[in-house]
Amino acid sequence: MDFKIEIAGLLAAATELDAQEVAGAIEIPDPAMGDFAFPCFKLAKTLKKAPGVIATEIASSLELPAFLQSVEASGPYLNFFVNRGFYAQSILPKIYAEGSNFGKSEIGKGGTVVIDYSSPNMAKRFHIGHLRSTVFGHALYNIFNFLGYKSFSINYLGDWGTQFGKIITAYEHWGNKNTVEAEGIEELERLYVKFHQEAGDKPELEDEARAWFLKMEQGDEYALELWRWFKEISMADHNKIYKLLDVKFDSFNGESYYNDKMQPVVDELKSKGVAVEDKGAWIVDLEDHKMPNCLILRSDGATIYATRDITSVLHRKNEYNFVKALYVTSKEQILHFAQCFKVVELMGHDWASEQLVHVPFGYLTLPEGKMSSRKGNALLMEDVLKESVERIRKTIEEKNPNLPDKEDVAKQVGVGAIVFNDLYNSRIKDVEFSWERALSFEGETGPYVQYTHARCCSVLTKAELDFANADLTLLVADEELELIKTLNNFPTKVQEAGERYEPFIISRFVMSVAQAFNKFYHDNPILKADAELQKARLHLTHCTKTVIATALGILGIKAPQEM
């Protein structure tokens, strides 16, 4: 039963307003003011009365159905108070019956959403700056699956481009095979940093790097042999991080995958007059769209990021027939994707404006400033995750040394702490990484939510009563009502997260569930209550556990049963 819709129907009958319009105006007030509220301002003009007078007249004239306890006029507002027992009995059985499927919908049934995320550059270690794209994209992948879409995850590896020309140049000048074989990606990254240090005084190195990349594009076997070697070393390192995060992908088709697919796109751009020659290069003039021109081919004939991204859009549309294609990258690429999407649209693909979505996120910085692989000041993701797991392991040894599966729990909580920390704010917000804030186990953190789940499991394990068919009308305490209302918001929050491409909506939601449960837990005895009330509270605890686990799962975080 949707109480908001029911109240909207009640008010529509009393005021002759459209029920859908009324539903959109209904608010959730402070609990002390009621469970639902309707502002009467918009009725003042048609009824030619003050909003406060209208609220009083409607309140006195309404015949209350069984699900409402009372309705009160408070100034210009109508405040509705639900029948608490009726409310509990209407909400909890659905959560209990549907279990981990509670909140799912078929909004996206039959539609495919392609999500491009993570996309680390080869020959560079996975630093904490890559975390954002990975966890935001993975959460969106789960959200859209939960909404009934078929999500398809693509790790568009940065495995092509001039950076490989730079690394080959550095390897030829300062590297050797034995050191690379012994030290792997660390040595590749050292060479990359070395290149940029030397190029500051020797700009001719940049020309050398471009020449090496051109050789790659022209099929030079020695250059490609080095490229394949560097890529293999890189993927071995990156896969360790994905294993720790428990993130998997449906495709690892990176930039290099489109090498043999770009020429037809370039030819089409030229034949349609979308691309024009400019001093030997080929560009798309975007001045009329208030953007800089989009470079398609450099004057030496080499392609660039935009060429590959435009090609990838067209290939993915043909391959997956998506209804949405999301590109989860940092906000510094906002212009780049605006240009690429506009070029696709100018090619005659009207769907581009609606179906192509750049999902930008803010920067993750260190206290001393923005991280950079070129400068070698990036905080490594593997180090962060391992440090977090180790700190949790020590806490477990101190507080619960007899905990079974300590290693697994330490990993689940340690990794979850880092992921939740990154997903707890709006994605566009810049975040300064802080060990203390990320690994704090008090306040609004992942471990706090995970511990709440473990607490629910502990209560249910200790219970000796069958609570499946409890009398839920007994749940009338303030804390019980607030918790049930919070749980009932889950389907709406998942839908909102999908509409806004914002996982933090679910992070904030599951935090509100944890806080509401802990208040209920502290103020209302569960195992010491009389038998019938105990059953009802156990039922509520079970529903809370279910929703927390489901919400954490969508975020890519485990829900341990013991901590």
Side-chain angles (χ1 to χ4, degrees):
M1 179 179 188
D2 189 324
F3 283 71
K4 179 184 279 192
I5 297 299
E6 294 295 329
I7 291 172
L10 191 68
L11 286 173
T15 61
E16 296 186 358
L17 287 175
D18 177 71
Q20 189 172 354
E21 182 182 1
V22 173
I26 291 176
E27 303 171 359
I28 307 298
D30 181 277
M33 300 296 293
D35 301 307
F36 299 93
F38 177 74
C40 295
F41 301 105
K42 61 173 56 183
L43 293 172
K45 185 175 181 180
T46 56
L47 297 180
K48 302 187 184 315
K49 295 179 182 178
V53 173
I54 296 170
T56 301
E57 290 179 352
I58 294 177
S60 62
S61 66
L62 285 178
E63 184 174 339
L64 299 184
F67 71 86
L68 286 177
Q69 184 70 39
S70 63
V71 58
E72 299 176 0
S74 177
Y77 287 88
L78 276 169
N79 293 331
F80 295 86
F81 295 82
V82 300
N83 180 320
R84 295 185 173 190
F86 190 100
Y87 188 82
Q89 186 63 56
S90 300
I91 303 300
L92 295 180
K94 179 177 174 64
I95 300 175
Y96 189 88
E98 295 184 4
S100 60
N101 289 321
F102 175 68
K104 281 188 176 181
S105 74
E106 295 190 350
I107 292 173
K109 186 176 181 180
T112 297
V113 175
V114 172
I115 310 176
D116 177 327
Y117 60 96
S118 193
S119 309
N121 288 321
M122 298 292 96
K124 300 177 189 177
R125 285 179 290 181
F126 204 111
H127 62 69
I128 198 168
H130 297 125
L131 175 70
R132 310 211 83 192
S133 177
T134 304
V135 299
F136 278 122
H138 185 56
L140 289 171
Y141 175 86
N142 293 333
I143 287 167
F144 281 100
N145 273 339
F146 208 71
L147 291 172
Y149 294 89
K150 166 58 181 172
S151 297
F152 198 92
S153 58
I154 297 177
N155 194 340
Y156 184 64
L157 301 171
D159 64 354
W160 202 251
T162 54
Q163 82 249 29
F164 278 97
K166 294 176 181 180
I167 295 168
I168 292 175
T169 300
Y171 178 76
E172 291 293 298
H173 281 279
W174 310 292
N176 66 78
K177 183 176 182 180
N178 291 336
T179 305
V180 172
E181 287 182 341
E183 300 184 17
I185 199 168
E186 292 184 35
E187 174 62 9
L188 296 182
E189 192 167 78
R190 186 191 71 78
L191 290 171
Y192 185 73
V193 172
K194 175 76 171 174
F195 175 90
H196 286 280
Q197 291 171 340
E198 295 290 331
D201 297 323
K202 301 174 183 177
E204 64 271 17
L205 288 171
E206 295 282 358
D207 294 329
E208 189 176 340
R210 282 190 285 271
W212 272 112
F213 177 54
L214 187 58
K215 285 183 179 181
M216 287 171 56
E217 291 213 304
Q218 292 172 342
D220 181 88
E221 187 52 39
Y222 177 69
L224 291 176
E225 182 181 344
L226 288 176
W227 167 73
R228 286 190 289 266
W229 182 35
F230 296 161
K231 182 177 176 180
E232 182 180 335
I233 291 170
S234 303
M235 283 308 303
D237 183 78
H238 294 165
N239 282 333
K240 291 189 297 183
I241 306 302
Y242 293 132
K243 186 176 180 180
L244 279 170
L245 292 171
D246 195 23
V247 171
K248 299 178 178 66
F249 294 91
D250 298 310
S251 168
F252 283 90
N253 289 337
E255 294 180 60
S256 64
Y257 178 75
Y258 294 97
N259 286 346
D260 62 352
K261 299 173 179 61
M262 286 184 285
Q263 191 58 52
V265 174
V266 172
D267 292 342
E268 183 180 349
L269 284 165
K270 292 179 179 179
S271 66
K272 289 183 174 179
V274 177
V276 295
E277 191 172 4
D278 181 53
K279 299 177 183 177
W282 285 84
I283 65 167
V284 176
D285 186 343
L286 297 176
E287 184 178 352
D288 290 345
H289 305 284
K290 298 182 172 52
M291 285 185 279
N293 296 333
C294 182
L295 180 62
I296 302 298
L297 288 178
R298 293 195 319 223
S299 57
D300 62 4
T303 58
I304 65 166
Y305 291 122
T307 325
R308 290 185 284 279
D309 279 332
I310 293 166
T311 303
S312 80
V313 167
L314 298 173
H315 175 266
R316 291 170 187 177
K317 182 63 175 175
N318 182 62
E319 183 81 6
Y320 307 113
N321 192 27
F322 54 72
V323 296
K324 289 284 184 184
L326 312 183
Y327 289 76
V328 186
T329 73
S330 73
K331 62 184 180 183
E332 65 186 355
Q333 295 192 48
I334 288 175
L335 175 61
H336 166 77
F337 281 105
Q339 290 175 306
C340 290
F341 296 168
K342 180 55 69 173
V343 171
V344 173
E345 185 180 347
L346 292 174
M347 294 175 75
H349 303 295
D350 295 338
W351 46 263
S353 61
E354 291 293 327
Q355 297 184 3
L356 301 179
V357 182
H358 180 218
V359 183
F361 52 81
Y363 303 124
L364 191 64
T365 65
L366 298 173
E368 57 268 27
K370 186 180 177 183
M371 288 176 281
S372 170
S373 296
R374 296 182 180 185
K375 298 177 181 178
N377 70 336
L379 191 59
L380 299 179
M381 194 67 245
E382 185 175 12
D383 291 345
V384 172
L385 293 175
K386 287 184 175 179
E387 175 70 13
S388 181
V389 171
E390 182 58 30
R391 292 192 185 198
I392 293 293
R393 183 184 291 111
K394 289 179 180 178
T395 301
I396 292 173
E397 289 290 351
E398 293 170 3
K399 297 181 180 288
N400 194 1
N402 297 319
L403 177 69
D405 303 319
K406 284 186 286 189
E407 293 300 315
D408 285 344
V409 173
K411 179 182 173 183
Q412 290 175 12
V413 180
V415 173
I418 300 299
V419 173
F420 193 89
N421 177 73
D422 210 41
L423 292 179
Y424 197 57
N425 296 296
S426 173
R427 58 179 161 76
I428 204 65
K429 181 179 179 182
D430 292 343
V431 175
E432 181 181 284
F433 180 78
S434 161
W435 280 102
E436 290 72 22
R437 183 170 58 249
L439 301 182
S440 173
F441 303 119
E442 297 179 359
E444 298 178 353
T445 68
Y448 173 82
V449 177
Q450 290 173 307
Y451 182 75
T452 303
H453 178 269
R455 170 173 277 172
C456 291
C457 293
S458 176
V459 169
L460 295 169
T461 299
K462 293 174 183 177
E464 298 179 353
L465 297 175
D466 180 4
F467 52 83
N469 297 309
D471 181 3
L472 302 177
T473 63
L474 299 174
L475 298 174
V476 295
D478 289 348
E479 297 80 15
E480 292 164 342
L481 176 66
E482 191 59 30
L483 176 55
I484 297 169
K485 286 166 62 177
T486 304
L487 294 174
N488 192 44
N489 284 334
F490 187 43
T492 301
K493 293 300 181 182
V494 177
Q495 186 173 341
E496 183 183 352
E499 290 172 350
R500 295 172 55 187
Y501 314 111
E502 281 283 19
F504 97 98
I505 292 170
I506 295 177
S507 303
R508 294 294 173 113
F509 163 78
V510 76
M511 176 60 66
S512 69
V513 171
Q515 291 170 334
F517 176 80
N518 284 315
K519 184 167 178 53
F520 153 71
Y521 176 85
H522 286 296
D523 295 349
N524 300 273
I526 299 176
L527 298 178
K528 293 184 179 180
D530 66 69
E532 291 306 312
L533 183 55
Q534 183 184 154
K535 289 180 185 179
R537 288 177 175 169
L538 287 170
H539 193 106
L540 176 55
T541 300
H542 175 86
C543 291
T544 302
K545 173 187 78 74
T546 298
V547 172
I548 289 177
T550 305
L552 286 177
I554 289 175
L555 297 173
I557 298 171
K558 304 294 184 183
Q561 297 195 16
E562 293 184 82
M563 281 177 65

